Amino acid sequence: MRTPHALLATTVSAAALAATVMAPAPVSAADAVPPPGTYYVQSATTGLNASDAAGAVEQHRPRGDEDRQQWHLRADGTLENTDSPGNCLGRSGEQARTVGCASPEARWQLTPVGADRFTLTVPGTDRRLTVAPKPSGANHPAPLIVGTGPDGPAGWYLTPVDPATRPMPPQHLRTLDQVTFLTAHNAYANGVDGGYAPPFVDLFPNQRRGIERQLADGVRGFMLDIHQTPDGAILCHNSCTLVRRPVALWVDLQRMVDFLRAHPDQFVTVFLEDYVDPGVLRAELARVQGLSDVLYRPDRTGVRENGWPTTAELADAGQQLLIFSDHSRDADRSAGLTRDTFGVMYQREWTVENHWSMGPGVGTSDWSCYSRWYDAGTNLPLTRTEPGFRPLFVMNHFRDAAITSTAATDNSKLADRARRFCLPAARKKPNYLAVDHYDLGDPASAVSALNTYTYP
């Protein structure tokens, strides 16, 4: 039984998080070389997968059973590509290549280096499979190399293609990071509660039901865009210019607080795409009656030391509402007021999130699952974790434009993408499944399926 979390203040910068991710951890029995089986060879630095690219071995965005990214670890220590029998992950000089599995260049010595990570070393040498150095102002190159560089880029996860799972604990023992919530992308853009976009853009709402109906239907995650106007923080898509009857943030938050007070066993999370000054946001939250009574503060409750609390503990404490902002802590420091001082958490410090788009509103979709925050300036892989603490995983599953017929089809495939693509890409179960038109395609069934098991 978990002990209640003590009130404990903790603040962490994004840079400190990245350092924590790559810090070596003690090797334990759990980090032993895995048994023969089929795995993704996944960079601990980028979260991307080793892929057979016409003989070259490159790191690509995780694509499940597509893109030649699955490798069968054999008893002799070779890694055979499942799409190209007889060809193994190997090397030619300093370049990673696929070679014949009988070749000496296909042999690797797998060595545990802690935190479920391994190095793939050329036997009898100090040369290892590694991610190439990152050029200034760019991502790491795709081609993988064999070199003697620093330990971090040479760390790899062997992520099982078919991971072992465990039954979900009883309701009162489920921790927040074990639970999955149905989440409405652009929940405010519904055309029911008020205006949300300039003319023509407002012809394509992301949702078809208002916030109160969304709450009644079981939506527990709400993605909201806020912009600054003379009236405060207003919910608008891209711009509030020419928007008719826009809704203020405090109005929708009041709806959620009122719902939570009437349903003390429920938990709601708000994700702010945040374009307002911290002082404006603080004043907006001060207008919400009862907000402080239900606001959950993971920064003050020892989450980084003890892990996430159970949902029962949160209900007993009346801490039912978690608010995240995608704003930058560094920018707020420059402004002289950080959002976490009044209870809004910096999302990059507490969550991981895949890229927000599967492509345009019609046509084929891109199911690859990779970090929203992996770019030239930021490197927070989906696989990020820390000793005793796992970030919550926000899984985005929507297109650039919310076309109802497309959303219905996409939502019907949500469980499949979560299981085959995003769960192994993040090495953790999605906690928030974010969709357009949550009432179409039965995404709630995917939430229910994920809530039957845990991913260790």
Side-chain angles (χ1 to χ4, degrees):
M1 183 73 177
R2 296 169 59 91
T3 57
H5 289 56
L7 293 180
L8 184 62
T10 305
T11 57
V12 179
S13 68
L17 283 175
T20 303
V21 173
M22 298 315 303
V27 177
S28 68
D31 298 315
V33 174
T38 306
Y39 297 89
Y40 299 103
V41 180
Q42 190 170 18
S43 169
T45 297
T46 65
L48 305 183
N49 288 342
S51 173
D52 175 12
V57 178
E58 300 179 345
Q59 57 168 353
H60 288 180
R61 299 169 179 174
R63 291 188 61 90
D65 55 1
E66 302 174 4
D67 193 43
R68 307 168 74 90
Q69 296 184 7
Q70 296 183 354
W71 305 87
H72 183 74
L73 175 62
R74 308 195 313 181
D76 63 359
T78 57
L79 287 153
E80 182 179 28
N81 191 271
T82 60
D83 290 304
S84 183
N87 289 315
C88 283
L89 192 159
R91 62 230 167 236
S92 176
E94 295 183 352
Q95 301 301 312
R97 305 281 301 180
T98 51
V99 298
C101 293
S103 168
E105 299 301 307
R107 299 291 188 274
W108 300 97
Q109 178 181 339
L110 273 66
T111 304
V113 290
D116 201 25
R117 295 197 302 271
F118 304 88
T119 57
L120 279 69
T121 304
V122 178
T125 77
D126 61 352
R127 299 171 59 232
R128 301 169 297 182
L129 181 70
T130 186
V131 174
K134 180 179 179 179
S136 177
N139 295 336
H140 289 278
L144 298 175
I145 62 173
V146 181
T148 58
D151 290 345
W156 299 90
Y157 297 111
L158 294 183
T159 301
V161 168
D162 295 308
T165 59
R166 299 172 184 165
M168 195 71 153
Q171 190 80 32
H172 68 287
L173 295 179
R174 298 177 182 180
T175 56
L176 190 61
D177 59 324
Q178 292 176 325
V179 181
T180 301
F181 300 97
L182 180 60
T183 300
H185 170 237
N186 286 352
Y188 66 95
N190 54 60
V192 175
D193 295 327
Y196 62 90
F200 302 111
V201 178
D202 62 6
L203 297 177
F204 300 96
N206 297 91
Q207 308 298 337
R208 304 192 298 178
R209 298 172 178 176
I211 294 295
E212 290 179 341
R213 176 65 183 275
Q214 292 178 34
L215 285 162
D217 288 347
V219 174
R220 294 295 179 264
F222 297 85
M223 293 181 168
L224 308 175
D225 294 8
I226 53 173
H227 292 263
Q228 188 167 319
T229 76
D231 296 319
I234 306 300
L235 297 165
C236 303
H237 190 64
N238 294 330
S239 168
C240 292
T241 303
L242 302 179
V243 176
R244 294 177 290 109
R245 299 186 302 107
V247 178
L249 172 63
W250 78 266
V251 172
D252 274 353
L253 289 181
Q254 189 69 64
R255 290 171 169 144
M256 296 174 197
V257 170
D258 292 345
F259 173 85
L260 291 172
R261 293 166 90 174
H263 301 83
D265 61 333
Q266 297 300 304
F267 188 83
V268 164
T269 306
V270 172
F271 300 90
L272 298 178
E273 187 172 319
D274 191 343
Y275 301 100
V276 306
D277 294 334
V280 172
L281 181 56
R282 181 176 60 179
E284 191 75 12
L285 298 187
R287 302 177 68 181
V288 183
Q289 296 181 11
L291 176 63
S292 61
D293 296 332
V294 299
L295 193 60
Y296 172 46
R297 297 288 302 267
D299 58 331
R300 293 183 175 179
T301 52
V303 168
R304 292 199 179 278
E305 296 76 18
N306 305 311
W308 295 97
T310 66
T311 53
E313 288 171 344
L314 292 168
D316 290 345
Q319 298 174 337
Q320 303 165 260
L321 179 63
L322 178 57
I323 303 178
F324 289 117
S325 168
D326 69 351
H327 210 273
S328 162
R329 175 186 287 277
D330 289 340
D332 283 351
R333 282 199 184 108
S334 300
L337 176 65
T338 59
R339 282 162 167 77
D340 55 357
T341 58
F342 52 87
V344 176
M345 301 295 101
Y346 291 99
Q347 189 176 343
R348 298 185 193 195
E349 297 178 5
W350 299 95
T351 75
V352 293
E353 179 176 343
N354 66 308
H355 181 63
W356 56 269
S357 171
M358 294 194 299
V362 295
T364 58
S365 60
D366 179 3
W367 276 24
S368 63
C369 217
Y370 62 102
S371 177
R372 173 186 178 185
W373 299 314
Y374 175 65
D375 54 39
T378 312
N379 183 23
L380 296 177
L382 288 183
T383 54
R384 175 165 67 93
T385 189
E386 301 169 29
F389 168 72
R390 293 204 303 179
L392 302 176
F393 175 21
V394 181
M395 178 183 158
N396 294 312
H397 186 79
F398 47 83
R399 310 279 190 112
D400 296 352
I403 308 300
T404 54
S405 58
T406 303
T409 300
D410 288 344
N411 290 349
S412 69
K413 299 176 180 179
L414 176 57
D416 188 40
R417 185 183 181 214
R419 178 181 58 83
R420 290 198 297 127
F421 287 70
C422 290
L423 187 151
R427 294 174 52 84
K428 55 179 73 73
K429 195 174 76 169
N431 300 107
Y432 300 93
L433 295 182
V435 298
D436 285 331
H437 297 300
Y438 75 89
D439 56 311
L440 301 177
D442 195 19
S445 65
V447 174
S448 296
L450 285 165
N451 279 328
T452 62
Y453 66 88
T454 64
Y455 179 86

